[in-house]
Amino acid sequence: MRLDKFICDCTGLTRSQAGKVIRQKLVTMNGELVKQAALQVKDSDVVSLDGEQLQLIGLRYFMLHKPDGYICSTEDPEHPTVFTLMDEPLIERLHTVGRLDLDTTGLVLITDDGQWSHRISSPKHHVAKTYRVWTADPIPTAAIAQFSEGVMLRNEKNTTLPAQLEIVRETEALLTIHEGRYHQVKRMFAAIGNKVERLHREKVGGLQLPDDLAEGEYRALNQQQLELLRS
């Protein structure tokens, strides 16, 4: 890898900024001052910027328990973003895998791996997402069959994919969907004449939001959890 690209990948500097710090004689490799941006960096080389050793950051995968009132974007003039809850280097490279609404809580996946993100969020892959739903009115048992057959949402041309509804209490249910249309869960209940009062995502694919991950907390995904998402 070229030296300037290595610096960019380690620090978040642009290519021109990396070239500038090299010209300013702030970069050493294996203890020796380097002046060429095109110099190749090998795995065994030690590169330092202004006396601080640089290390490449690999692809990162996190899960976060989103609280109410936070948005799933990098910045917003009115509301805090989920990234304000994280303390990670080069946080500007991270993005959420899909989005939860401002008032929806629960499991959010965050990564800097675009291909992985696409596999999970792309509609054509039909990754299951399970939500706990609280409604304004009692949920009729007929809704189980309605959702399993697919419902027509307002301003849509096609019905939703079959979804699995489990009624927990009169006004509480678990709903598993296999696509990600705009405000889909809320619109599905609206289609049967009910209103979602509260919404919480509990599961994506085979990955369940851990009971010991409190609201506002996050942690890196381990290999076992990554496998649950791949399956």
Side-chain angles (χ1 to χ4, degrees):
M1 181 186 298
R2 281 175 55 113
L3 177 60
D4 52 359
K5 186 177 188 308
F6 179 85
I7 294 171
C8 292
D9 289 350
C10 292
T11 64
L13 293 176
T14 65
R15 187 68 69 92
S16 62
Q17 289 170 333
K20 183 177 180 180
V21 296
I22 293 171
R23 292 191 301 272
Q24 291 174 333
K25 301 180 180 180
L26 297 176
V27 179
T28 61
M29 182 185 294
N30 304 323
E32 299 292 331
L33 189 67
V34 289
K35 302 177 182 179
Q36 295 178 329
L39 194 66
Q40 291 295 310
V41 179
K42 302 185 293 294
D43 290 342
S44 58
D45 291 327
V46 176
V47 178
S48 298
L49 171 60
D50 203 16
E52 183 176 348
Q53 184 176 336
L54 300 181
Q55 290 185 326
L56 285 173
I57 297 175
L59 294 173
R60 296 169 289 175
Y61 310 90
F62 301 100
M63 58 178 166
L64 181 143
H65 188 163
K66 178 188 172 299
D68 184 12
Y70 285 75
I71 64 166
C72 294
S73 64
T74 53
E75 57 182 36
D76 186 271
E78 298 180 5
H79 305 287
T81 80
V82 293
F83 296 102
T84 63
L85 300 169
M86 303 181 72
D87 181 18
E88 295 294 326
L90 302 179
I91 198 166
E92 66 276 4
R93 295 185 182 178
L94 296 171
H95 64 270
T96 60
V97 182
R99 295 188 176 191
L100 292 182
D101 296 339
L102 178 68
D103 59 352
T104 300
T105 61
L107 178 60
V108 172
L109 300 175
I110 296 175
T111 186
D112 50 11
D113 185 342
Q115 291 185 345
W116 182 79
S117 175
H118 177 73
R119 285 196 300 272
I120 294 172
S121 60
S122 173
K124 69 179 181 181
H125 290 125
H126 306 311
V127 174
K129 305 170 192 70
T130 300
Y131 296 82
R132 188 170 294 271
V133 188
W134 292 266
T135 59
D137 301 314
I139 304 165
T141 55
I144 297 174
Q146 287 177 280
F147 284 3
S148 69
E149 294 169 0
V151 296
M152 182 62 71
L153 305 181
R154 186 178 180 182
N155 298 324
E156 296 276 357
K157 295 181 179 178
N158 300 309
T159 60
T160 60
L161 292 177
Q164 293 72 53
L165 179 68
E166 176 189 345
I167 299 175
V168 178
R169 296 182 182 85
E170 234 186 17
T171 58
E172 180 183 346
L174 291 172
L175 177 65
T176 300
I177 62 175
H178 304 270
E179 53 189 333
R181 303 191 194 187
Y182 180 70
H183 290 168
Q184 181 172 339
V185 175
K186 295 176 182 177
R187 294 168 68 202
M188 288 178 71
F189 279 91
I192 62 169
N194 209 334
K195 180 183 178 182
V196 173
E197 294 283 340
R198 184 181 162 203
L199 189 58
H200 178 81
R201 185 157 71 186
E202 294 194 348
K203 194 174 183 181
V204 176
L207 179 64
Q208 182 91 24
L209 181 67
D211 292 335
D212 62 349
L213 189 64
E215 275 198 2
E217 293 185 346
Y218 75 99
R219 67 177 62 143
L221 296 175
N222 58 37
Q223 192 59 42
Q224 182 180 13
Q225 292 164 334
L226 287 170
E227 289 299 328
L228 287 172
L229 288 164
R230 291 191 183 101
S231 62

